[in-house]
Amino acid sequence: MLPSLGDKYAIEVEITSKPRAEYSTDEYFALDLPMAPAVMVGDEIIVEGKDVDDHTLEVAICRHLGLPAPEEKKGVLGRIFGR
């Protein structure tokens, strides 16, 4: 997901990965970072403690870059029933 959004928008992607035990240390909490897994765009925490869907992340990136939000893509049932 991130590589394709990095190609689509002029953004720098930084991924931080540590052993699970390091996320529950006093040193990690002192950094005032969100609980892993998490996604941040700029200083905004998009999601904390769970995964994020593509559309929510793309909307946050557009908001951060001052671009209009992309339209949400309809699934198969949405296209059939017009939702």
Side-chain angles (χ1 to χ4, degrees):
M1 165 180 25
L2 286 176
S4 64
L5 291 176
D7 292 340
K8 188 173 181 179
Y9 301 101
I11 58 171
E12 180 181 327
V13 176
E14 180 180 332
I15 299 172
T16 303
S17 179
K18 301 176 185 231
R20 186 177 297 255
E22 285 190 40
Y23 290 110
S24 55
T25 63
D26 291 338
E27 291 81 13
Y28 182 79
F29 287 114
L31 296 173
D32 200 30
L33 293 172
M35 185 178 82
V39 175
M40 295 177 69
V41 176
D43 291 333
E44 180 184 1
I45 298 170
I46 306 305
V47 68
E48 181 176 10
K50 61 180 181 177
D51 290 332
V52 65
D53 65 89
D54 294 358
H55 181 72
T56 302
L57 180 56
E58 190 169 3
V59 167
I61 290 170
C62 289
R63 184 173 50 245
H64 180 73
L65 296 174
L67 301 172
E71 290 185 24
E72 189 166 5
K73 296 177 184 172
K74 295 181 180 181
V76 174
L77 294 177
R79 289 191 297 259
I80 293 172
F81 296 111
R83 295 183 200 181

